[in-house]
Amino acid sequence: MSAENETREWWSKYWNKLLGSIIVLPIIMHFWPQAVPFKFFELWKVKGAMIDWLIGSWPLLLWGTALATLAALSMGPRRRRDPEVHEFLIGGTLHSLFAGVTEEIAFRWLFFMSNIVSVQIANYCFFGFLGFGITEWFHMHLVGPIANWATFKALEPYIFHSSSWAVGASIIATNTFFRDGHKYQGFFGWVNSWFGGMFLFWIMFKFGLPIAILVHFLYDFLFDIIPATHMAMRRK
């Protein structure tokens, strides 16, 4: 399958999952409240103070600063058709804001909540009705431990959530889909997005979804402000 077809297929899955989450998830949570160990808007609650958000988010923002600086330094010479600095900055800022809001609402909230239900259904279908679900076993003994090790156990309370294994399985499933949406960035972007997505899950659990939106926006904004500053200095 070509990269273009893969991207088209991913977006098709994205819109189907988004529509399904918006319509089906509230219904399931109303009639089967025990399926999801969170209230519908619980993750939107903001926790901590601004200093806590800054301290918590600095690794991702520092990493973004380093990548954005490398990207800016690797920019080629100015071409006649290049946008002006203010046009580049305004367009990039709007794009970063849009991505931060929409991606966090989709992946860290709607897809995450709906996948908690999905992994339980999958587990029931794959012998869970006999008391030995393959999906649960894989999460608890293989996928979960690997993800926990790769994230330096920072997400351990959530990957192995006290209420249900399905919470951790949903984190990994949702973040895998998030990662696959960045295949167009190449192998490095594919791997980088997985770790970035897991870090944003940690931010969301620690400080709330609005702070994850803010951090996501700031991370993307670094790839606007740093190259724009470099462009302005170079043209001056």
Side-chain angles (χ1 to χ4, degrees):
M1 183 181 295
S2 67
E4 183 178 348
N5 288 334
E6 283 187 355
T7 301
R8 189 181 299 114
E9 182 180 346
W10 185 90
W11 276 109
S12 177
K13 291 179 180 178
Y14 175 91
W15 289 114
N16 289 335
K17 287 173 71 68
L18 185 62
L19 184 62
S21 298
I22 293 173
I23 296 175
V24 178
L25 182 60
I27 297 174
I28 292 177
M29 294 183 68
H30 177 75
F31 291 101
W32 189 20
Q34 67 272 23
V36 180
F38 305 101
K39 295 180 181 179
F40 192 67
F41 291 104
E42 180 179 342
L43 300 176
W44 282 86
K45 182 180 179 181
V46 175
K47 294 172 282 187
M50 184 178 295
I51 186 64
D52 300 317
W53 311 338
L54 294 173
I55 293 173
S57 61
W58 76 262
L60 183 64
L61 298 181
L62 180 62
W63 176 246
T65 300
L67 292 182
T69 301
L70 288 175
L73 293 176
S74 65
M75 294 173 65
R78 180 184 179 185
R79 296 185 298 268
R80 182 176 298 178
R81 291 177 296 173
D82 283 349
E84 294 299 324
V85 174
H86 70 279
E87 294 174 348
F88 176 86
L89 187 58
I90 292 173
T93 301
L94 292 175
H95 180 268
S96 297
L97 181 61
F98 180 80
V101 173
T102 58
E103 290 186 15
E104 290 309 299
I105 288 177
F107 291 97
R108 246 60 65 181
W109 182 39
L110 294 174
F111 293 171
F112 165 63
M113 299 273 276
S114 61
N115 277 335
I116 294 177
V117 180
S118 299
V119 296
Q120 292 181 82
I121 294 175
N123 188 63
Y124 181 83
C125 293
F126 288 98
F127 308 110
F129 61 91
L130 296 176
F132 181 78
I134 293 180
T135 306
E136 180 181 359
W137 187 91
F138 264 93
H139 173 73
M140 297 301 296
H141 299 283
L142 183 62
V143 180
I146 292 175
N148 189 42
W149 171 81
T151 53
F152 305 100
K153 297 186 177 182
L155 280 163
E156 186 169 20
Y158 313 107
I159 291 177
F160 303 109
H161 201 273
S162 58
S163 64
S164 174
W165 64 271
V167 173
S170 177
I171 292 173
I172 296 171
T174 304
N175 201 56
T176 298
F177 186 52
F178 176 76
R179 176 205 64 190
D180 289 345
H182 294 78
K183 283 184 177 180
Y184 69 93
Q185 297 177 347
F187 179 76
F188 178 81
W190 185 71
V191 173
N192 184 63
S193 63
W194 187 89
F195 283 98
M198 294 297 277
F199 190 91
L200 287 167
F201 263 115
W202 181 82
I203 289 288
M204 186 267 292
F205 284 120
K206 193 79 173 177
F207 305 114
L209 183 63
I211 308 308
I213 292 173
L214 176 62
V215 173
H216 191 147
F217 161 70
L218 291 175
Y219 176 84
D220 285 2
F221 181 65
L222 290 169
F223 291 85
D224 304 319
I225 187 64
I226 292 178
T229 302
H230 177 71
M231 288 168 60
M233 294 174 62
R234 185 177 60 181
R235 293 179 182 184
K236 184 177 180 181

